[in-house]
Amino acid sequence: MSSRSWSPSSWRDRTALQQPNWPDLGHLDAVVKRLNGLPPLVFAGEARSLTSALGEVAGGRAFLLQAGDCAESFHDQSADAIRDKLKVILQMAAVLTYSSGMPVVKVGRIAGQFAKPRSADTEQVGDLVLPSFRGHIVNDDAPDETSRRPDPDRLIAAYHQSSQTLNLLRAFTKGGFADIGRVHQWNLEFVASSAEGRRYHEIAEGIGRALQFMQACGIDLERSTELHTVDLWTSHEALLLSYEEALTRRDSLTGDWYDCSAHMLWLGERTRQLDNAHVEFLRGVQNPLGCKLGPTATPQEALDICEALNPQRIAGRLTLIARMGAGKVRAHLPPLLAAVRDSGHPVVWISDPCHGNTFTAPSGHKTRRFDDVLAEVQGFFAACRAEGVHPGGLHVELTGDDVTECLGGSDDVTDNHLANRYETVCDPRLNARQSLDLAFRASELLRSPSASH
Ligand code: PEP
Ligand code: CO
């Protein structure tokens, strides 16, 4: 496959699943041309830095935390919401680093995570049969015919929202907010008083004492940039290929192609077919890539994905994201781990404990049980340990907002509570307390290999 020629548009000769039925293709073409003339959102050199950071994960020396919304919303782009999401990711990373002693590579599902795959083209709302909601980059979620009409101008709006989000993230991560000296201030108010919040407080105290100790030993902390800034990389599912193609640029330094809409792109469970358009597009861009693998994935499919997307076997280029379901991970994942391990392909294996555990509650809300999320993470660690593979990280849907979208956790959200603050435009997200709780459990699993059995 890799010997065939590639261009940013070569995917157009293949079957592209999950693309909207655009009512006006001329309008779409005009929008794509405009996007093509706009500046890249990220730079090739940044994508290369992320590949090398992920190479450390592939080598078992670091851990990957990939987290954020299921779908970002055009209706909520407040600085507070972006800051609070970052706070949760920084907190989770601090917990994981502190207890494992390993660097944590932080990647957001953010600044571009808009497009959603759907199981059907239409959905029934009351008596109406409407086009499915495909994310705000395509249409609006309101249940009426006009809102659901795919509108190419939304690609431009998504680009600008991504750019504004990224601008704020760069300011937060490089401008002092992510300074390790502020580790206490990442505790959100509604989290601080909970059991997880108190446990976090202890870790923050420990980090503070370690910093004081280093200072007392004569180490000049002011001059260590690593303590004052963090790298938060961006990622999203590369679903809407017209958009991704429009932001694909040739790097002037290396001559290689990069999809400059995000640092990392991933293939969803529904669009990872080898001969189809999404694999064709992604194989030609040099960004680090992810690929979801659900419970039906076979060892041969996993190997074919490795060969198609990473024929040169570059460590950090490919992350395989297992999303099996809590009841299936222990049986379905080991054969995949073994096959890839035996092939010698240097991949990062991470667990998405969310997408295999979604169901509709009696109240009608799409939800997930915190206990199932945790059980899948435990099963993932057990499977990795049994096969001698590094459990490389987590991929989670979360928010910094105090929502009630997932069941359970220490504040014991029940079906009756779901309606209180159910705000997601797509899948249910862990709230900040549940996310922090998950980080503590994962850090225990990382520290003590026997905890996963
Ligand atoms: C997602 O990550 O939001 C998603 C749709 O996942 P998957 O492709 O694994 O179903
Ligand atoms: Co989702």
Side-chain angles (χ1 to χ4, degrees):
M1 178 180 281
S2 50
S3 53
R4 274 195 334 261
S5 69
W6 181 92
S7 79
S9 62
S10 55
W11 64 270
R12 291 179 181 272
D13 300 333
R14 305 296 176 90
T15 304
L17 298 180
Q18 298 286 342
Q19 305 305 291
N21 293 316
W22 299 108
D24 178 352
L25 288 174
H27 186 177
L28 177 68
D29 280 349
V31 161
V32 165
K33 282 205 183 70
R34 251 177 83 196
L35 276 174
N36 209 266
L38 294 174
L41 293 171
V42 305
F43 300 102
E46 296 178 308
R48 281 193 289 274
S49 299
L50 177 55
T51 301
S52 56
L54 291 171
E56 290 298 294
V57 184
R61 297 176 295 274
F63 194 76
L64 167 60
L65 176 62
Q66 188 173 22
D69 280 304
C70 179
E72 289 175 279
S73 167
F74 280 9
H75 307 313
D76 180 13
Q77 200 198 345
S78 72
D80 287 0
I82 296 167
R83 181 201 59 205
D84 291 349
K85 217 173 300 169
L86 175 64
K87 277 185 178 178
V88 178
I89 294 174
L90 292 176
Q91 280 192 298
M92 292 177 78
V95 167
L96 289 160
T97 307
Y98 190 76
S99 58
S100 70
M102 261 189 222
V104 173
V105 181
K106 295 167 273 295
V107 179
R109 288 176 62 112
I110 201 164
Q113 174 49 27
F114 291 108
K116 297 313 299 175
R118 302 320 302 246
S119 41
D121 271 345
T122 56
E123 103 179 92
Q124 175 120 22
V125 184
D127 296 341
L128 291 173
V129 177
L130 295 170
S132 296
F133 170 55
R134 292 188 172 276
H136 284 159
I137 193 171
V138 175
N139 55 7
D140 191 66
D141 50 302
D144 61 79
E145 193 67 47
T146 320
S147 305
R148 292 292 173 88
R149 215 177 125 88
D151 176 2
D153 285 339
R154 286 174 168 271
L155 269 59
I156 303 275
Y159 167 87
H160 287 300
Q161 181 160 330
S162 301
S163 147
Q164 287 152 9
T165 302
L166 189 53
N167 181 51
L168 199 61
L169 288 172
R170 290 190 194 276
F172 279 140
T173 53
K174 306 296 177 190
F177 179 82
D179 190 305
I180 193 71
R182 295 200 177 193
V183 64
H184 276 291
Q185 289 159 34
W186 305 334
N187 224 350
L188 287 154
E189 266 166 38
F190 67 92
V191 176
S193 56
S194 67
E196 298 82 48
R198 286 193 293 276
R199 215 171 150 192
Y200 177 76
H201 178 79
E202 281 166 30
I203 286 192
E205 294 279 296
I207 293 172
R209 279 195 299 274
L211 292 172
Q212 269 175 357
F213 175 76
M214 287 194 287
Q215 197 139 33
C217 293
I219 298 169
D220 186 354
L221 301 182
E222 279 308 308
R223 290 176 59 179
S224 318
T225 30
E226 297 83 355
L227 296 175
H228 307 300
T229 65
V230 302
D231 289 323
L232 179 86
W233 310 100
T234 62
S235 72
H236 60 256
E237 178 174 349
L239 187 69
L240 216 54
L241 293 174
S242 309
Y243 179 81
E244 304 303 337
E245 177 190 341
L247 285 166
T248 296
R249 310 290 157 81
R250 202 192 267 277
D251 173 32
S252 55
L253 268 179
T254 60
D256 288 334
W257 291 97
Y258 284 83
D259 180 347
C260 297
S261 69
H263 299 115
M264 178 178 182
L265 286 316
W266 78 83
L267 276 172
E269 169 69 357
R270 294 164 190 76
T271 50
R272 60 174 169 78
Q273 305 81 3
L274 219 53
D275 295 326
N276 281 2
H278 290 82
V279 171
E280 172 61 18
F281 174 74
L282 284 180
R283 78 180 173 93
V285 295
Q286 298 309 306
N287 309 59
L289 303 176
C291 181
K292 297 284 195 91
L293 293 174
T296 59
T298 63
Q300 190 58 48
E301 281 172 7
L303 291 176
D304 289 346
I305 284 286
C306 293
E307 276 303 316
L309 297 180
N310 192 16
Q312 293 171 317
R313 303 189 171 212
I314 297 163
R317 156 79 167 165
L318 182 61
T319 296
L320 296 177
I321 311 167
R323 34 88 85 218
M324 302 283 161
K328 295 189 174 155
V329 62
R330 286 171 194 260
H332 290 246
L333 184 56
L336 306 188
L337 296 172
V340 175
R341 178 199 62 209
D342 293 346
S343 74
H345 266 282
V347 305
V348 171
W349 276 105
I350 65 175
S351 166
D352 165 358
C354 297
H355 288 90
N357 296 308
T358 318
F359 67 99
T360 304
S363 64
H365 293 94
K366 214 178 181 194
T367 190
R368 296 166 179 147
R369 285 189 196 89
F370 181 77
D371 286 350
D372 291 341
V373 169
L374 189 59
E376 176 147 6
V377 172
Q378 285 165 335
F380 170 77
F381 271 81
C384 289
R385 293 256 147 84
E387 297 301 330
V389 169
H390 176 50
L394 295 178
H395 178 118
V396 268
E397 287 185 345
L398 57 75
T399 171
D401 302 335
D402 191 11
V403 298
T404 50
E405 297 172 5
C406 291
L407 299 168
S410 62
D411 44 344
D412 203 16
V413 177
T414 66
D415 191 13
N416 291 334
H417 298 132
L418 289 179
N420 292 351
R421 289 181 306 281
Y422 193 93
E423 294 165 11
T424 183
V425 288
C426 196
D427 287 344
R429 303 157 300 173
L430 298 176
N431 64 31
R433 276 187 296 264
Q434 292 166 329
S435 304
L436 197 51
D437 198 354
L438 183 66
F440 279 115
R441 313 289 187 112
S443 69
E444 283 157 16
L445 293 168
L446 251 182
R447 203 173 38 207
S448 74
S450 58
S452 50
H453 297 294

